[in-house]
Amino acid sequence: MISLAENKERIALLTSGGDASGMNAAIRAVTRYSIYNNYEVIGFYEGYKGLINNNFDILNLNSVSGIIDRGGTILYSARSEEFKTEDGQKKAIENLKKNNVEKLIVIGGDGTFRGAHDLHKKGIKAIGIPATIDNDIAGTDYSIGFDTALNVIIDIMSKIRDTASSHDRLFVIEVMGRQSGVIAVNAGVASAADYILIPEVDFDLVKIANEIRNHRKGKRHTLVIVAEGVGKANDIASSIKLLAGHEVRVSVLGHIQRGGSPSAMDRILAARLGQKAVDALMDGKSDAMVGYQGKEIKIIDFEYIFKYKRKIDKNLYDLAFILSL
Ligand code: ATP
């Protein structure tokens, strides 16, 4: 076991759930701001799995050097079913206590915060930093990784549009979002998609196919964005082809959406949320997330986050159709 410096309070840090670009920028911010405030930082690997296996390293200024522009997470991520059990959480608590850790910052999504909530109930001061490309967490306008994912998608959409308009083609593009159409709506507006199919809003494939068959909005390209929660892009493409009698190409973007160097916005968000998370712990706060609201960084109880889910912006969704006419 690595010996820890005496006389210093410790803050543990982990990343968990789906990786999101900008997690590294958050790790850097938490580590450097904690050290600046005279704390020692312990980074646990692979989320809650690392807590159970006592797999960690001390993070110093050098450990987080040169990572601000890297996607993924240097602390790695994992999904741990064992951590959801009483036994798993007991092991995690034992390891935290053994290493003199009473304060923890978790970077991840809703599931990650539920884990942190359990640890809080068992005596650990726990604060969450929202990082998920889905941007589906209530209480924060943006989660780390969302802006980068959107930029990746619109870049690909431009490339698809080039080939689509050259060949007079119709494309169905599947983006992430099993339960939420937030990515699809925002990417659709930003890339001028013709149709946006999301789980939250019913759509009429026959009507869409009729429009495509009759005039295709007068364009040589038609771009249909589909959130994965709506169904398989290939099945939707087959239905449109059958109903509209028009050749359809499919592009499933998949994990490409998670990767890449974080956008400026995600890096700045990570810096500000990281700082606030450390401040919150220093103020004795726990069982809460730091979130971006308007122009302010606020502390929002986990209780609120578990109660509410972020909804799509219906006005933005409607505007997408008006602007794509
Ligand atoms: P994403 O939005 O990217 O999926 P997430 O944080 O919601 O991120 P999950 O896989 O749901 O990702 O959760 C990450 C980990 O948090 C799980 O593998 C598990 O260890 C822990 N966790 C999830 N739900 C709970 C829960 N109800 N109680 C305790 N721990 C949980």
Side-chain angles (χ1 to χ4, degrees), residues 7-273:
N7 307 323
K8 278 201 177 172
E9 257 206 84
R10 283 134 202 175
I11 292 180
L13 175 63
L14 59 83
T15 50
S16 158
D19 65 298
S21 198
M23 279 182 161
N24 279 329
I27 292 169
R28 172 181 176 271
V30 167
T31 301
R32 294 224 165 136
Y33 191 66
S34 298
I35 292 171
Y36 173 78
N37 284 288
N38 214 27
Y39 282 86
E40 188 166 66
V41 182
I42 304 171
F44 281 86
Y45 292 106
E46 297 191 301
Y48 293 119
K49 193 174 157 193
L51 282 190
I52 291 172
N53 298 335
N54 204 27
N55 182 13
F56 67 86
D57 267 318
I58 302 300
L59 300 182
N60 55 37
L61 298 176
N62 272 343
S63 328
V64 296
S65 175
I67 64 168
I68 197 169
D69 57 351
R70 283 169 55 190
T73 157
I74 61 159
L75 289 177
Y76 314 130
S77 190
R79 304 204 196 256
S80 168
E81 282 306 308
E82 189 184 356
F83 182 75
K84 290 185 183 170
T85 65
E86 237 354 88
D87 217 35
Q89 292 188 5
K90 202 167 145 241
K91 284 186 206 160
I93 292 281
E94 275 167 14
N95 285 329
L96 285 168
K97 294 262 157 83
K98 195 160 75 187
N99 291 303
N100 286 328
V101 176
E102 286 172 0
K103 293 180 167 65
L104 170 71
I105 292 175
V106 298
I107 304 172
D110 172 85
T112 299
F113 297 161
R114 285 179 193 277
H117 174 65
D118 287 354
L119 291 176
H120 161 83
K121 284 193 286 184
K122 292 177 164 67
I124 301 294
K125 299 265 185 215
I127 294 289
I129 296 179
T132 166
I133 69 164
D134 293 335
N135 206 33
D136 58 353
I137 300 174
T140 186
D141 298 346
Y142 295 102
S143 297
I144 294 168
F146 174 64
D147 184 63
T148 304
L150 277 185
N151 281 300
V152 169
I153 295 169
I154 64 167
D155 184 44
I156 297 168
M157 292 287 286
S158 296
K159 292 175 171 124
I160 290 175
R161 183 191 305 281
D162 287 346
T163 177
S165 52
S166 300
H167 290 275
D168 190 15
R169 273 191 183 137
L170 189 153
F171 268 82
V172 171
I173 301 117
E174 184 184 302
V175 299
M176 284 194 172
R178 245 172 270 149
Q179 271 121 40
S180 160
V182 174
I183 289 185
V185 170
N186 284 274
V189 172
S191 60
D194 297 286
Y195 300 97
I196 303 170
L197 312 187
I198 55 174
E200 295 92 334
V201 182
D202 290 337
F203 55 88
D204 184 346
L205 221 45
V206 175
K207 186 167 166 264
I208 292 172
N210 276 339
E211 282 183 17
I212 290 169
R213 188 181 39 236
N214 291 338
H215 53 83
R216 297 189 64 214
K217 297 185 177 179
K219 300 172 187 172
R220 280 182 62 82
H221 58 262
T222 303
L223 304 181
V224 183
I225 286 202
V226 180
E228 61 183 335
V230 160
K232 293 254 167 266
N234 277 312
D235 296 341
I236 290 163
S238 302
S239 302
I240 294 176
K241 185 180 173 186
L242 196 72
L243 294 164
H246 197 287
E247 198 59 43
V248 185
R249 295 286 193 278
V250 175
S251 190
V252 178
L253 303 194
H255 287 85
I256 288 173
Q257 294 162 87
R258 286 194 187 285
S261 184
S263 66
M265 183 178 150
D266 273 330
R267 295 179 198 196
I268 294 165
L269 184 65
R272 297 188 67 193
L273 293 179

